[in-house]
Amino acid sequence: MSPFPLEAFLTALPWAALGVVLVLAVTYAAAISADSTGAGAGRQARHSVMDVAWGPGFVVIAVICFILSAGEGDGGRRVLLLVLTGIWGIRLGTHIGRRARGGHEDPRYVELLKGAPGSRNAYALRRVYLPQGLVMFFVSLTIQVGMFATGPLGWLAVAGSAVWLTGFIFESVGDLQLERFKNDPARRGTVLNSGLWRYTRHPNYFGDAAVWSGLFLIAAESWPGVLTVLSPALMIWTLAGKTGKPLTERAMSGRPGYREYVQSTSGFIPWPPRRH
């Protein structure tokens, strides 16, 4: 096995960071354009567009690292990481973009930006774009390191691909079930407690966590990919304990039947519902 090409990897880091900056800049420009195009109608910038760019942002980083790692990292791992990241990121961006089209600011962002001192857009730059950009870069270290890893694919990569597939199914099927639920006028104001949502209150967040755990296993099969364990850990903590699950549940807490749903259904990891 060839040694890890540290010099080539370090050379690629600023380019990956530049990719993050470009994604954030384009996303911010798209968000604040609402202020200039709809000022007369009292419109505000929709900073929840950052959610649309979240998945594709990782795809941009993966493409940059795939190009720069040519001739350095193992070809099979490079292609696998690029394909899996691309499928996940493009599907997620497309889904959120379709869901957000023509709508209003996400309630999570309304709460986050509520009472912003001074300019709301400047405040959003500090509270939304900068933190998410730093998280995006740090979480993507699994992909960045994995692209330059030189060891061949083996059983751990197979296991990682299986974990990724499990997560991808949970995330995509959960999103589809939620979309159908929201589009059913007869169920408006009720709680989705069927399908995958019967086993976890957040199949989409759990799926996201599994996707990144799978990508980590693929990278961790060859040194120093194992050192990026904090990258998926940060993603899981963000989804389960910071801005994903807690903010969503806070927004749902007043809905009729939600308390009973919380009492019977696992908060994150899929599990058969509890009986009372």
Side-chain angles (χ1 to χ4, degrees):
M1 182 190 304
S2 303
F4 183 77
L6 181 60
E7 185 176 348
F9 169 71
L10 293 177
T11 301
L13 280 177
W15 290 102
L18 179 60
V20 173
V21 171
L22 289 176
V23 169
L24 295 180
V26 171
T27 306
Y28 184 73
I32 64 174
S33 66
D35 278 346
S36 58
T37 59
R43 292 178 59 188
Q44 280 189 322
R46 287 181 57 196
H47 294 292
S48 54
V49 71
M50 184 63 219
D51 288 349
V52 181
W54 179 249
F58 286 99
V59 180
V60 170
I61 297 172
V63 170
I64 291 173
C65 292
F66 180 80
I67 294 172
L68 296 178
S69 62
E72 302 288 353
D74 175 73
R77 179 173 289 100
R78 290 171 59 242
V79 170
L80 184 59
L81 288 172
L82 177 66
V83 170
L84 296 187
T85 304
I87 292 173
W88 168 81
I90 293 172
R91 190 224 61 99
L92 182 62
T94 302
H95 168 74
I96 297 178
R98 186 176 64 247
R99 185 184 68 190
R101 188 170 49 201
H104 302 285
E105 183 76 284
D106 188 295
R108 293 174 301 150
Y109 286 85
V110 172
E111 180 177 345
L112 187 64
L113 300 175
K114 185 170 54 180
S119 167
R120 181 176 179 270
N121 290 337
Y123 187 67
L125 194 60
R126 300 193 305 269
R127 291 296 307 275
V128 176
Y129 297 88
L130 179 59
Q132 293 208 40
L134 292 174
V135 170
M136 182 183 293
F137 181 80
F138 187 80
V139 170
S140 71
L141 284 173
T142 287
I143 299 171
Q144 297 182 52
V145 173
M147 288 285 189
F148 285 88
T150 56
L153 296 174
W155 68 267
L156 195 56
V158 174
S161 299
V163 172
W164 179 94
L165 181 60
T166 300
F168 185 75
I169 291 173
F170 261 85
E171 186 174 10
S172 6
V173 172
D175 282 339
L176 179 61
Q177 291 173 343
L178 181 60
E179 184 177 8
R180 289 176 174 174
F181 172 81
K182 288 183 174 180
N183 290 335
D184 184 357
R187 304 198 65 180
R188 190 163 298 160
T190 62
V191 175
L192 174 57
N193 57 3
S194 58
L196 294 180
W197 299 82
R198 184 170 181 263
Y199 302 99
T200 168
R201 301 199 297 273
H202 303 280
N204 45 358
Y205 293 152
F206 166 76
D208 229 355
V211 161
W212 282 94
S213 298
L215 292 174
F216 164 71
L217 291 176
I218 294 171
E221 188 167 45
S222 181
W223 182 263
V226 67
L227 298 180
T228 66
V229 64
L230 292 181
S231 295
L234 175 61
M235 176 67 91
I236 294 170
W237 175 76
T238 301
L239 292 168
K242 188 63 176 175
T243 60
K245 177 177 177 286
L247 290 182
T248 300
E249 297 202 341
R250 195 177 306 163
M252 292 285 294
S253 60
R255 183 165 294 193
Y258 193 72
R259 175 181 291 183
E260 293 76 14
Y261 178 61
V262 169
Q263 292 173 347
S264 64
T265 310
S266 171
F268 198 74
I269 298 174
W271 198 256
R274 294 181 289 273
R275 294 183 179 181
H276 297 283

